[in-house]
Amino acid sequence: MRLSRPLSLALLGVSLVSSAGTLVDQDGWPWPHRPRTTTIVDLLSSSEEFSPLIKALQRAALIPILNGSENVTLIAPMSDAIKEFDGELTRELLMYHILNGSVLSSMVEDEIVVESLLKMDPKDNTSLGIGVKIERQGDRGRGQGVLRISDVARVVKSDWEANNGKTHTESQTYYLGVIQVVDKLIQIPKTIGLFLL
Amino acid sequence: MAYLETHFGRHDRANLINRHACMDVLYINDLKKGGNASSLEGEKIHYGEDAGDILVDGANVTDSDIVAKNGNPPKGSG
């Protein structure tokens, strides 16, 4: 029986897939050996609340940095916070909202300062990042209380975890990053000199 | 103190400010651990916790971790 060329090719494709066996998993994901990832940007994209933030990150060309970084924390302002902000969402301001390291709320007993991706010396990539203070206010003894960032922003949703689907050696999920959702934007601090004036 | 505000006191004024600054970036959790750092003026600054208070050369820290935009130690410093 002679088959038409397109049908032959289709049948060939089906036979290859069937014989391989592992190329199609139970969920229909075509490449099962490729781990499923849920990046920080994936999480933000799941809610309209973060559309203004995503647009700002796109304009600032920070999406590739968020997608490519491991162990970062994004301080994500809600849409109302961005609407109320009286200023420009510059690349530097947004970089100040990205922290170096996965910061979970359980790590903040009293207060900590974490380096942001915004460097103190923009010409020197090895310089320290400008610090962001995170403190717990309220009933600290029992791990309760509210997390406040830079004295102005309140964390309204904490520990929204992104992952890359890999498993750590102790069979725990390896976190790609964390989002801490806040109700206000945080400002880049002044220099020491201006602060003293 | 009036002397320090004059033209004559400018070197001493600079020394006084440098006595209150060091090359390291120290947060409150660093101060609690205790230790010392070299001030820009040359003398050592000693810090640590005492009966719940955080002291720096005997002065009580009342407000901590006020982050600034600058303050990165220059390269080659200790």
Side-chain angles (χ1 to χ4, degrees), chain A residues 1-9 11:
Chain A
M1 175 176 126
R2 197 178 169 114
L3 297 173
S4 66
R5 190 178 173 82
L7 185 56
S8 309
L9 288 171
L11 285 172

Side-chain angles (χ1 to χ4, degrees), chain B residues 17-67:
Chain B
I17 292 170
N18 285 334
R19 181 68 176 85
H20 287 73
C22 68
M23 288 296 197
D24 304 308
V25 177
L26 296 168
Y27 297 114
I28 193 69
N29 288 334
D30 300 311
L31 299 183
K32 281 179 184 174
K33 291 174 191 169
N36 59 73
S38 293
S39 72
L40 298 184
E41 181 262 349
E43 290 286 328
K44 288 278 188 189
I45 300 174
H46 301 271
Y47 51 83
E49 191 169 7
D50 183 18
D53 293 327
I54 309 297
L55 301 174
V56 178
D57 274 356
N60 205 352
V61 175
T62 57
D63 206 354
S64 60
D65 294 350
I66 302 171
V67 291

Side-chain angles (χ1 to χ4, degrees), chain A residues 111 120 124 127-128 190 192, chain B residues 65 67-70 72 75:
Chain A
E111 71 176 46
M120 286 188 185
D124 178 9
S127 67
L128 292 174
K190 305 174 200 175
I192 293 174
Chain B
D65 294 350
V67 291
K69 188 179 178 179
N70 62 341
N72 191 46
K75 280 187 176 176

Side-chain angles (χ1 to χ4, degrees), chain A residues 46-65:
Chain A
S46 68
S47 171
E48 273 299 308
E49 182 68 47
F50 301 104
S51 289
L53 176 60
I54 292 174
K55 286 177 189 165
L57 290 169
Q58 284 172 330
R59 281 194 296 269
L62 287 173
I63 298 287
I65 290 177

